[in-house]
mmCIF file of all heavy atoms in Angstrom:
data_model
loop_
_atom_site.group_PDB
_atom_site.id
_atom_site.type_symbol
_atom_site.label_atom_id
_atom_site.label_comp_id
_atom_site.label_asym_id
_atom_site.label_seq_id
_atom_site.Cartn_x
_atom_site.Cartn_y
_atom_site.Cartn_z
ATOM 1 N N VAL B 11 136.067 153.534 71.436
ATOM 2 C CA VAL B 11 136.982 152.823 70.520
ATOM 3 C C VAL B 11 138.442 152.843 71.001
ATOM 4 O O VAL B 11 139.315 152.239 70.357
ATOM 5 C CB VAL B 11 136.931 153.416 69.083
ATOM 6 C CG1 VAL B 11 135.549 153.250 68.483
ATOM 7 C CG2 VAL B 11 137.369 154.872 69.070
ATOM 8 N N GLN B 44 136.550 149.104 65.628
ATOM 9 C CA GLN B 44 137.165 147.795 65.401
ATOM 10 C C GLN B 44 136.139 146.659 65.368
ATOM 11 O O GLN B 44 136.479 145.532 65.026
ATOM 12 C CB GLN B 44 138.204 147.505 66.485
ATOM 13 C CG GLN B 44 139.298 148.564 66.595
ATOM 14 C CD GLN B 44 140.075 148.741 65.297
ATOM 15 O OE1 GLN B 44 140.562 147.779 64.723
ATOM 16 N NE2 GLN B 44 140.162 149.969 64.795
ATOM 17 N N GLN B 51 127.494 151.676 69.386
ATOM 18 C CA GLN B 51 127.616 152.697 70.445
ATOM 19 C C GLN B 51 127.852 154.083 69.856
ATOM 20 O O GLN B 51 127.314 155.082 70.348
ATOM 21 C CB GLN B 51 128.763 152.327 71.389
ATOM 22 C CG GLN B 51 128.434 151.179 72.319
ATOM 23 C CD GLN B 51 129.585 150.941 73.307
ATOM 24 O OE1 GLN B 51 130.108 151.871 73.907
ATOM 25 N NE2 GLN B 51 129.999 149.698 73.439
ATOM 26 N N LYS B 54 124.605 155.429 68.575
ATOM 27 C CA LYS B 54 123.729 155.888 69.666
ATOM 28 C C LYS B 54 124.194 157.247 70.174
ATOM 29 O O LYS B 54 123.380 158.160 70.394
ATOM 30 C CB LYS B 54 123.685 154.841 70.779
ATOM 31 C CG LYS B 54 122.752 153.692 70.401
ATOM 32 C CD LYS B 54 122.623 152.632 71.470
ATOM 33 C CE LYS B 54 121.637 151.561 70.961
ATOM 34 N NZ LYS B 54 121.969 150.220 71.412
ATOM 35 N N VAL B 79 130.121 165.895 54.313
ATOM 36 C CA VAL B 79 129.692 167.217 53.843
ATOM 37 C C VAL B 79 129.215 168.145 54.952
ATOM 38 O O VAL B 79 129.139 169.349 54.759
ATOM 39 C CB VAL B 79 128.587 167.100 52.758
ATOM 40 C CG1 VAL B 79 129.168 166.538 51.471
ATOM 41 C CG2 VAL B 79 127.435 166.213 53.241
ATOM 42 N N HIS B 80 128.887 167.577 56.128
ATOM 43 C CA HIS B 80 128.429 168.435 57.231
ATOM 44 C C HIS B 80 129.397 168.383 58.402
ATOM 45 O O HIS B 80 128.987 168.558 59.548
ATOM 46 C CB HIS B 80 127.053 167.989 57.727
ATOM 47 C CG HIS B 80 125.977 168.129 56.706
ATOM 48 N ND1 HIS B 80 124.694 167.686 56.907
ATOM 49 C CD2 HIS B 80 125.975 168.685 55.476
ATOM 50 C CE1 HIS B 80 123.969 167.945 55.833
ATOM 51 N NE2 HIS B 80 124.727 168.548 54.949
ATOM 52 N N ALA B 130 137.164 149.228 38.821
ATOM 53 C CA ALA B 130 138.527 149.545 38.381
ATOM 54 C C ALA B 130 139.478 149.751 39.555
ATOM 55 O O ALA B 130 140.676 149.500 39.449
ATOM 56 C CB ALA B 130 138.503 150.789 37.490
ATOM 57 N N PRO B 148 133.840 145.794 34.496
ATOM 58 C CA PRO B 148 133.686 145.215 33.142
ATOM 59 C C PRO B 148 132.903 143.905 33.127
ATOM 60 O O PRO B 148 132.170 143.626 32.184
ATOM 61 C CB PRO B 148 135.140 144.985 32.699
ATOM 62 C CG PRO B 148 135.954 145.938 33.500
ATOM 63 C CD PRO B 148 135.235 146.103 34.812
ATOM 64 N N LEU B 206 127.954 138.366 53.734
ATOM 65 C CA LEU B 206 127.990 136.993 53.222
ATOM 66 C C LEU B 206 127.913 137.093 51.706
ATOM 67 O O LEU B 206 126.889 137.512 51.160
ATOM 68 C CB LEU B 206 126.806 136.191 53.754
ATOM 69 C CG LEU B 206 126.908 135.635 55.180
ATOM 70 C CD1 LEU B 206 127.011 136.752 56.210
ATOM 71 C CD2 LEU B 206 125.723 134.739 55.501
ATOM 72 N N LEU B 207 128.993 136.710 51.045
ATOM 73 C CA LEU B 207 129.104 136.922 49.603
ATOM 74 C C LEU B 207 129.057 135.599 48.852
ATOM 75 O O LEU B 207 129.763 134.650 49.199
ATOM 76 C CB LEU B 207 130.414 137.644 49.280
ATOM 77 C CG LEU B 207 130.601 138.982 49.997
ATOM 78 C CD1 LEU B 207 131.991 139.546 49.706
ATOM 79 C CD2 LEU B 207 129.534 139.982 49.607
ATOM 80 N N GLY B 214 137.296 128.119 33.857
ATOM 81 C CA GLY B 214 138.502 127.380 33.520
ATOM 82 C C GLY B 214 139.354 128.061 32.465
ATOM 83 O O GLY B 214 140.575 127.993 32.491
ATOM 84 N N LEU B 226 132.275 153.423 13.815
ATOM 85 C CA LEU B 226 131.751 153.166 15.159
ATOM 86 C C LEU B 226 130.385 152.484 15.115
ATOM 87 O O LEU B 226 130.074 151.634 15.963
ATOM 88 C CB LEU B 226 131.652 154.507 15.897
ATOM 89 C CG LEU B 226 131.201 154.500 17.340
ATOM 90 C CD1 LEU B 226 132.181 153.755 18.229
ATOM 91 C CD2 LEU B 226 131.052 155.929 17.852
ATOM 92 N N GLN B 228 129.286 150.378 12.915
ATOM 93 C CA GLN B 228 129.479 148.953 12.640
ATOM 94 C C GLN B 228 129.885 148.223 13.928
ATOM 95 O O GLN B 228 129.436 147.105 14.198
ATOM 96 C CB GLN B 228 130.548 148.752 11.559
ATOM 97 C CG GLN B 228 130.137 149.249 10.184
ATOM 98 C CD GLN B 228 129.195 148.287 9.460
ATOM 99 O OE1 GLN B 228 128.818 147.246 10.000
ATOM 100 N NE2 GLN B 228 128.794 148.649 8.255
ATOM 101 N N ALA B 251 137.061 156.894 18.650
ATOM 102 C CA ALA B 251 138.236 157.412 17.940
ATOM 103 C C ALA B 251 139.078 158.336 18.824
ATOM 104 O O ALA B 251 140.318 158.297 18.784
ATOM 105 C CB ALA B 251 137.786 158.150 16.668
ATOM 106 N N LYS B 328 147.016 163.191 30.927
ATOM 107 C CA LYS B 328 148.134 163.918 30.316
ATOM 108 C C LYS B 328 147.636 165.082 29.462
ATOM 109 O O LYS B 328 148.384 166.002 29.152
ATOM 110 C CB LYS B 328 148.986 162.964 29.472
ATOM 111 C CG LYS B 328 149.745 161.962 30.345
ATOM 112 C CD LYS B 328 150.827 161.255 29.583
ATOM 113 C CE LYS B 328 151.504 160.225 30.492
ATOM 114 N NZ LYS B 328 152.262 159.246 29.712
ATOM 115 N N LEU B 361 134.492 170.410 23.953
ATOM 116 C CA LEU B 361 135.186 169.824 25.106
ATOM 117 C C LEU B 361 135.986 168.588 24.684
ATOM 118 O O LEU B 361 135.677 167.969 23.663
ATOM 119 C CB LEU B 361 134.163 169.394 26.162
ATOM 120 C CG LEU B 361 133.403 170.517 26.868
ATOM 121 C CD1 LEU B 361 132.234 169.957 27.649
ATOM 122 C CD2 LEU B 361 134.337 171.303 27.802
ATOM 123 N N ASP B 381 140.215 171.631 32.737
ATOM 124 C CA ASP B 381 141.116 172.243 33.711
ATOM 125 C C ASP B 381 140.271 173.062 34.673
ATOM 126 O O ASP B 381 139.652 174.053 34.267
ATOM 127 C CB ASP B 381 142.136 173.137 32.976
ATOM 128 C CG ASP B 381 143.191 173.685 33.936
ATOM 129 O OD1 ASP B 381 142.917 173.749 35.159
ATOM 130 O OD2 ASP B 381 144.275 174.036 33.453
ATOM 131 N N THR B 408 119.596 155.395 32.825
ATOM 132 C CA THR B 408 119.601 155.837 34.217
ATOM 133 C C THR B 408 120.824 156.721 34.487
ATOM 134 O O THR B 408 121.811 156.666 33.751
ATOM 135 C CB THR B 408 119.566 154.614 35.156
ATOM 136 O OG1 THR B 408 119.442 155.060 36.512
ATOM 137 C CG2 THR B 408 120.842 153.771 35.034
ATOM 138 N N ILE B 453 122.400 161.113 48.021
ATOM 139 C CA ILE B 453 121.248 160.624 47.244
ATOM 140 C C ILE B 453 120.180 161.712 47.063
ATOM 141 O O ILE B 453 119.762 161.984 45.953
ATOM 142 C CB ILE B 453 120.608 159.350 47.854
ATOM 143 C CG1 ILE B 453 121.644 158.210 47.931
ATOM 144 C CG2 ILE B 453 119.394 158.920 47.046
ATOM 145 C CD1 ILE B 453 121.103 156.912 48.530
ATOM 146 N N SER B 455 118.787 165.657 47.449
ATOM 147 C CA SER B 455 119.253 167.037 47.605
ATOM 148 C C SER B 455 118.630 167.628 48.872
ATOM 149 O O SER B 455 117.550 167.223 49.290
ATOM 150 C CB SER B 455 118.914 167.870 46.374
ATOM 151 O OG SER B 455 117.550 167.766 46.097
#
Side-chain angles (χ1 to χ4, degrees):
Chain B
V11 297
Q44 303 301 308
Q51 286 185 47
K54 282 182 179 146
V79 290
H80 296 175
L206 280 63
L207 303 175
L226 183 64
Q228 292 282 2
K328 291 194 183 163
L361 292 168
D381 186 337
T408 186
I453 301 180
S455 53

